[in-house]
Each structure stands twice: as structure tokens, then as C-alpha cells.
């Protein structure tokens, strides 16, 4: 919890019965601002891993000033203090994770040569309580060109297992079962997202896959019995198959069910699957909103069928509900409204990109908008790493833009995940230009509809979205009246040598290879800048 008095925040707890009240009584577990004052530091919360089933000990990650690197300390939830002789991981990129009460997996900077070229851990070790970190035993050692090595313990009662994950690049990883200190590789495509829950193995395919005499399209979710799969059987149930308009946004297990979260033309839809002796039985998820971004996660997948349900859109603050599968959700809390949303409306339109692909975008406008091309309009985009831009509430956009009469638009361009892996893969590497053509098409559609005109159209994006807006600035300057470029990639000749840049080469390509630089330079804003051209005002 953060507020004016608690800039870095309180970690606090209450009971569910108390939380149902309008003004719950909270117990402070850890006050970060008080900790910072006592230690003379600027710690930022990076999360806690609390050990099941008693939840008395937690591994808390703290970052200095919000950096990627953090340190981990063991915390006692009973005394609400850090243990002086507890597990401690010095500041680095990496983590600690529980194996049992007196053992952790540690992947971190162990000294020279222990990090990958992307700056992440290359080695994972098992560390016993009461022994120096230097004596921890190696579990797995990856290569220098790998991206990230980690290990974790699955403590599901009756299905306790240990796993090692080897990430080679984004959406390229291997998973190993650690069995009596031997590693058994889960023989599945590197591009598939692999999950194990109780007796089930799930594979979310990013590429089409033919196995066991059957072909499964990219974007499918498959399930098989985990032990049978390890024994060599390849009998899958198809839990989800994509269509032209649908993709799998995510899924969540409860004790007896699997809840699918599907995007249908960038709108969330929930459904329920129940494994039975006769196969997987489908049913409807009761009471989910008909529009907006919906998140669903298990309250405790080991013990109950209850889920947390969050919902929001551009005009509706986030709500949190508690739902039992098959019953109507109980709304517990809602964020406050930060702007007047009355008189505003949300629409979805489609623009035709250069190659004919229909590109969806959301539009938030006043109901009495004049279609004369004069309305200041802000267009936002990202288009990378299979990340979907779904409707979300922003007090800043609402108060600073919509309330003042502006129009807000969000483009669901290729490179994102709005239509699954195919949407992402359509704009990788040599096809990156398609993401920029999509964004330009949305801009042109806004003008064609007379919602705005180039001199009144501003754009904004950050990180990969900063690369997007940087390219729009230098490639399509005539389309825009203002360009905001946030924490961008701009010099694509050198990006792979900066910080975590090497881990992004699966997305953009390797500029050190002449055959790949040949296409990368076509979307490197630094190299496309032309001093003889006139550009719109830009804020970096």
C-alpha cells in the first residue's frame, strides 16, 4: 500500500472477513519507509516468496532505487523481523526460491563468469541453511550465450517436484525435471510454454507442431498426463485452438478446474474446463464482465475453486471480486475514480495496413465529438514481445487528456500478442516494418474518419514502444503533430551491447551479423535521421 505518508509503501495484511468491510483494520507487516530511514537506504519492494503451507517465513526481494538488481533477505512473519542468521542473497540480478524449510535454490552473481551475456544468472545452486553461500552445490550450469537459468520447487501436496528452467532467449526455453539430483528434459518444443500442475503437463504452442501423427496449430493449448508424457506417450487433449479472431490470453488452475482467458478481437472472454474420466468438460464462467480487461487467478489452487477476478477498461476503475467457479462473483473492492467518465464512450475500429491486414484499435472519445479533424488526439502503441494492449484505466490519461476534451486511441499492431503467436511473429526481425506500417495505418484511419488531423495527432510509446515512436518520427513525420519517445531503443547498431540488450536479439536480430544489420538498419531511428527533413516536435 502506498500513499503520501508511505512513499515506498506498507506490506500489510488482514483477514478476508475484515477485508469485506468498507474500512478494514490492517496489520502492518513491513514498513519500507521506516526501514529506509533506519538503514539510510532507498529500498523499493520487489516481492516476497512465502513458504507453504504455514506461511511463517518469506524471502523478500528489495531493490536499491528500483534497479533490476536486488537483494533477498529471509523474513519471519511471526515476529515481523528479518532473520539475522537467515538466508541472504547480496545485490545482483537473480533470486532465491524455497525448496524446503532449510533449503533454497539460488541463482545470482557468483563472481566472474557466472552471468550470461545478457547480464542474468548462468548458474543455479542448492543452498543449505547455516552454510556459507560459497559452499552451495551446483544444480545446473548454462552457457554464456543463454539468457537466464533458474530452478524452482513445486510444493503441490502429493505432486511435489523440482524443476530447472533454461531460457535461451525470449520464447525459447528448456524445462528439466530434477529427479534424485538427475535432470530429465521435458521433450517438447523450445518455443512452447510448458506448465506442470498436479498430474497434468500443459503445452502452449507458439509454433505449429506435428507429433504422434497429429498436427497442432500455433496458439493451441495442449494437455497430457505428465507421467505418461515422460514415459513416451504423446496423447494430447486440445484445450484451446485459435481462430482468426481468438487467441489464448492466459489460463488459471483451481483445485478442480482450468479457467481459460481468451482474447476475441482483443476482448477478454472466460470459460471453464473440468477434467473428468470421460475427458475435459466445458462450462460457462458465470458473472464475468462483457467488456474490458479481465484477470483471473486462483486464491489457492491446492485447496479451493475460488478465484480472484479483476476487471477494468478505459473508463472504469479496476474492481476486485472473489468468485467460486459456477457462482456469481462477489465484488470486494474498487479503485477510486480519478476523472469524470460521463459523456465518454469506448469504440473499437479496424484500419487496413499496407499489406491489407486489418489492425484493431480502441478509441475513447466524447459522445458529442465533432468530426471536423480538429480534436487533439493521443495515439499509444507498443507492438512487441507478444504483449497485448488491452483496455486499462489511467487517472493520468483521464484527468490530463480525456477530461480536457482529447481523444485517446490505442493501436493493437503486429508484434504484440493480441492474436496470439502469429501476430507477434508477423513483425519479427526483417518484418519489423509491418508494426510501423500498422501504426501508420491507424493514424491515417483516425484522420480519414475526421476524428483528428496530422497537426492535432500526437503519439506516445516507451521502451520497444519508444523504438516504435522513434521510427514514426523519422519515417512518417508528415502524419504527426507531436511525438513522445520514452525510454527508447534508438541506436539499433549498438542495442545488443547495452545492459539486457543481448536478450532482445530474438525480437530484432543481431546487428553484428552483416546480413541481419542489412534489415535492422531500416528500423534504426538513429541511422534514419535526416538533417534536411522537417520533423514534428519531439519529447524524449
Amino acid at each position: 500500500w502506498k500513499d503520501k505518508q508511505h512513499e515506498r509503501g506498507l506490506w500489510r495484511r488482514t483477514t478476508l472477513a475484515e477485508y469485506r468491510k468498507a474500512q478494514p483494520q490492517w496489520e502492518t507487516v513491513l514498513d519500507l519507509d521506516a526501514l529506509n530511514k533506519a538503514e539510510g537506504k532507498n529500498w523499493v519492494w520487489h516481492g516476497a516468496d512465502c513458504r507453504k503451507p504455514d506461511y511463517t517465513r518469506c524471502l523478500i526481494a528489495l531493490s536499491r532505487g528500483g534497479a533490476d538488481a536486488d537483494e533477498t533477505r529471509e523474513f519471519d512473519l511471526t515476529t515481523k523481523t528479518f532473520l539475522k542468521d537467515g538466508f541472504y542473497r547480496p545485490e545482483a540480478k537473480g533470486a532465491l526460491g524455497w525448496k524446503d524449510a532449510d533449503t533454497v535454490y539460488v541463482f545470482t552473481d557468483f563472481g566472474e563468469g557466472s552471468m550470461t551475456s545478457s547480464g542474468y544468472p548462468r548458474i543455479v545452486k542448492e543452498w543449505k541453511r547455516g552454510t556459507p553461500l560459497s559452499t552451495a552445490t551446483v544444480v545446473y550450469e548454462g552457457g554464456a550465450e543463454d539468457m537466464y537459468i533458474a530452478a524452482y520447487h513445486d510444493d503441490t501436496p502429493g505432486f511435489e517436484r523440482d524443476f530447472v528452467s533454461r531460457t535461451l532467449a525470449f520464447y525459447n526455453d528448456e524445462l528439466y525435471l530434477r529427479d534424485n539430483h538427475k535432470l530429465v528434459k521435458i521433450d517438447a518444443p523450445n518455443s512452447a510454454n510448458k506448465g506442470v500442475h498436479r498430474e497434468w503437463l500443459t503445452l502452449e504452442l507458439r509454433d505449429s507442431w506435428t507429433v504422434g501423427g497429429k498436427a497442432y496449430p500455433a496458439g493451441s493449448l495442449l494437455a497430457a498426463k505428465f507421467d505418461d508424457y515422460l514415459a513416451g506417450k504423446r496423447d494430447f487433449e486440445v484445450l484451446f485452438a485459435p481462430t482468426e479472431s481468438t487467441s489464448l490470453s492466459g489460463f488459471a488452475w483451481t483445485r478442480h478446474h482450468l479457467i481459460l482467458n481468451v482474447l476475441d478481437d482483443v476482448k477478454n472472454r472466460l470459460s471453464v474446463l473440468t477434467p473428468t474420466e470421460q475427458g475435459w468438460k466445458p462450462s460457462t464462467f458465470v458473472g464475468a464482465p462483457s467488456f474490458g480487461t479481465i484477470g483471473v487467478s486462483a486464491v489457492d489452487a491446492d485447496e479451493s475453486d475460488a478465484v480472484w477476478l479483476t476487471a477494468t477498461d478505459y473508463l472504469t476503475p479496476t474492481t476486485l471480486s472473489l468468485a467460486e467457479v459456477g457462482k456469481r462473483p462477489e465484488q470486494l473492492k474498487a479503485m477510486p475514480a480519478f476523472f469524470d467518465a460521463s459523456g465518454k464512450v469506448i469504440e473499437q475500429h479496424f484500419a487496413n495496413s499496407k499489406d491489407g491486414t486489418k489492425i484493431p484499435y480502441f478509441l475513447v472519445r466524447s459522445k458529442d465529438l465533432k468530426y471536423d479533424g480538429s480534436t487533439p488526439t493521443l495515439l499509444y502503441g507498443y507492438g512487441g514481445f507478444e504483449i497485448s494492449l488491452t483496455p486499462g484505466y489511467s487517472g493520468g490519461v483521464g484527468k490530463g487528456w480525456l477530461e480536457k476534451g482529447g481523444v485517446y486511441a490505442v493501436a493493437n499492431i503486429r508484434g504484440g500478442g493480441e492474436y496470439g503467436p502469429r501476430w507477434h511473429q508477423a513483425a519479427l526481425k526483417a518484418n519489423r516494418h509491418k508494426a510501423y506500417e500498422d501504426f501508420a495505418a491507424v493514424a491515417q484511419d483516425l484522420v480519414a474518419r475526421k476524428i483528428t488531423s496530422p497537426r492535432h495527432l500526437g503519439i506516445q510509446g516507451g521502451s520497444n514502444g519508444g523504438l516504435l515512436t522513434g521510427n514514426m518520427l523519422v519515417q512518417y513525420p508528415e502524419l504527426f503533430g507531436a511525438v513522445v519517445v520514452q525510454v527508447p531503443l534508438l541506436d539499433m547498431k549498438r542495442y545488443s551491447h547495452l545492459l539486457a540488450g543481448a536478450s532482445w536479439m530474438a525480437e530484432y536480430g543481431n546487428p553484428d551479423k552483416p546480413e541481419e544489420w542489412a534489415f535492422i538498419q531500416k528500423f534504426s531511428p538513429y541511422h534514419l535521421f535526416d538533417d534536411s527533413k522537417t520533423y514534428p516536435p519531439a519529447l524524449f
Side-chain angles (χ1 to χ4, degrees):
W1 172 265
K2 293 178 183 178
D3 57 28
K4 191 175 180 180
Q5 286 73 42
H6 306 95
E7 185 182 336
R8 288 301 179 208
L10 300 173
W11 192 36
R12 61 186 199 174
R13 63 184 173 187
T14 193
T15 64
L16 178 58
E18 190 68 27
Y19 190 63
R20 282 189 166 107
K21 297 176 183 177
Q23 299 293 329
Q25 292 297 308
W26 291 92
E27 175 193 1
T28 296
V29 179
L30 179 64
D31 182 333
L32 255 70
D33 296 277
L35 179 70
N36 285 340
K37 190 174 180 182
E39 297 187 356
K41 296 285 179 65
N42 181 22
W43 294 122
V44 173
W45 181 256
H46 262 203
D49 173 18
C50 297
R51 187 169 52 79
K52 295 181 182 180
D54 54 2
Y55 297 97
T56 56
R57 296 283 177 87
C58 300
L59 298 170
I60 292 180
L62 299 170
S63 154
R64 276 191 306 132
D68 285 350
D70 53 27
E71 66 175 50
T72 312
R73 309 178 186 181
E74 187 176 1
F75 187 83
D76 189 319
L77 268 180
T78 309
T79 61
K80 295 186 281 190
T81 57
F82 288 105
L83 274 74
K84 286 189 174 64
D85 58 350
F87 287 113
Y88 172 73
R89 182 184 66 89
E91 181 183 44
K93 288 184 181 181
L96 286 183
W98 292 110
K99 185 174 187 289
D100 57 44
D102 295 309
T103 318
V104 293
Y105 286 119
V106 54
F107 31 106
T108 191
D109 188 347
F110 295 110
E112 188 176 349
S114 67
M115 304 296 271
T116 67
S117 57
S118 297
Y120 296 111
R122 189 177 67 81
I123 300 167
V124 60
K125 298 183 180 184
E126 185 179 292
W127 183 20
K128 295 284 185 187
R129 185 182 296 281
T131 65
L133 178 57
S134 58
T135 64
T137 57
V138 173
V139 172
Y140 185 82
E141 192 167 332
E145 297 307 310
D146 292 349
M147 182 175 154
Y148 200 109
I149 305 299
Y152 63 94
H153 175 72
D154 179 354
D155 50 21
T156 304
F159 297 92
E160 292 87 351
R161 305 181 183 103
D162 291 84
F163 294 95
V164 169
S165 67
R166 178 193 181 201
T167 303
L168 288 87
F170 276 96
Y171 306 118
N172 180 356
D173 60 71
E174 299 172 352
L175 184 65
Y176 296 86
L177 174 68
R178 190 177 183 225
D179 188 15
N180 289 325
H181 299 283
K182 290 181 182 176
L183 296 181
V184 180
K185 186 179 178 182
I186 310 302
D187 182 25
N190 276 22
S191 61
N193 188 17
K194 308 156 194 74
V196 182
H197 177 78
R198 300 183 69 84
E199 70 267 41
W200 297 101
L201 168 72
T202 57
L203 298 176
E204 190 178 352
L205 302 184
R206 288 196 176 87
D207 297 303
S208 57
W209 188 35
T210 300
V211 64
K214 294 181 181 176
Y216 303 97
S220 300
L221 179 65
L222 312 180
K225 291 288 181 71
F226 181 73
D227 291 341
D228 290 348
Y229 192 87
L230 284 189
K233 291 185 180 177
R234 294 297 180 262
D235 301 324
F236 290 107
E237 293 270 6
V238 180
L239 305 187
F240 173 81
T243 67
E244 275 301 303
S245 66
T246 63
S247 67
L248 186 63
S249 176
F251 59 89
W253 289 97
T254 69
R255 176 61 185 85
H256 299 100
H257 307 285
L258 179 70
I259 299 169
L260 297 182
N261 193 348
V262 172
L263 276 184
D264 189 350
D265 277 333
V266 208
K267 295 179 281 287
N268 287 99
R269 305 281 183 263
L270 300 182
S271 61
V272 181
L273 289 172
T274 306
T276 69
E277 292 294 325
Q278 293 75 39
W280 292 75
K281 179 184 172 186
S283 57
T284 303
F285 189 97
V286 178
S290 59
F291 176 78
T293 299
I294 303 169
V296 60
S297 62
V299 173
D300 187 337
D302 292 340
E303 295 187 0
S304 85
D305 290 318
V307 293
W308 302 114
L309 193 70
T310 59
T312 186
D313 62 47
Y314 297 114
L315 301 176
T316 310
T318 304
T319 60
L320 173 67
S321 300
L322 182 62
E324 284 274 348
V325 172
K327 299 177 183 176
R328 293 203 72 80
E330 170 199 2
Q331 185 174 315
L332 296 174
K333 289 285 178 280
M335 290 288 283
F338 288 104
F339 64 93
D340 181 6
S342 63
K344 305 285 188 292
V345 64
I346 303 168
E347 298 174 339
Q348 187 184 45
H349 297 292
F350 292 81
N352 287 314
S353 194
K354 186 178 179 180
D355 64 1
T357 303
K358 289 193 176 300
I359 309 303
Y361 67 94
F362 289 105
L363 188 74
V364 189
R365 63 167 178 85
S366 296
K367 289 177 181 174
D368 57 0
L369 174 73
K370 290 184 175 67
Y371 291 89
D372 60 5
S374 68
T375 306
T377 299
L378 176 60
L379 173 60
Y380 183 83
Y382 186 78
F385 298 93
E386 210 174 306
I387 291 170
S388 303
L389 295 187
T390 56
Y393 189 83
S394 166
V397 169
K399 198 76 185 168
W401 192 252
L402 295 174
E403 256 191 21
K404 298 185 187 325
V407 167
Y408 183 60
V410 175
N412 300 115
I413 61 178
R414 283 174 286 185
E418 287 85 351
Y419 292 100
R422 68 180 175 91
W423 205 244
H424 173 230
Q425 293 163 12
L428 289 179
K429 297 185 176 180
N431 289 321
R432 200 80 202 166
H433 62 93
K434 292 187 177 181
Y436 310 140
E437 290 167 4
D438 293 355
F439 199 77
V442 172
Q444 289 159 341
D445 200 65
L446 289 166
V447 172
R449 291 176 186 273
K450 296 197 167 146
I451 289 162
T452 191
S453 55
R455 61 188 289 260
H456 294 296
L457 177 57
I459 58 172
Q460 181 180 3
S463 192
N464 173 73
L467 175 62
L468 164 69
T469 51
N471 270 287
M472 302 318 289
L473 173 68
V474 294
Q475 293 196 48
Y476 300 90
E478 73 284 355
L479 294 182
F480 309 107
V483 179
V484 179
V485 187
Q486 298 170 297
V487 290
L489 295 172
L490 293 173
D491 178 357
M492 297 304 288
K493 182 65 178 166
R494 295 188 302 156
Y495 85 90
S496 57
H497 298 278
L498 303 172
L499 302 173
S503 67
W504 307 327
M505 289 194 292
E507 189 82 7
Y508 307 122
N510 184 350
D512 295 333
K513 293 181 177 178
E515 68 275 18
E516 297 195 15
W517 173 242
F519 62 74
I520 294 171
Q521 65 182 335
K522 293 177 183 176
F523 60 86
S524 179
Y526 180 74
H527 295 86
L528 295 174
F529 182 82
D530 182 348
D531 203 31
S532 68
K533 280 188 179 179
T534 301
Y535 295 109
L539 174 66
F540 291 87

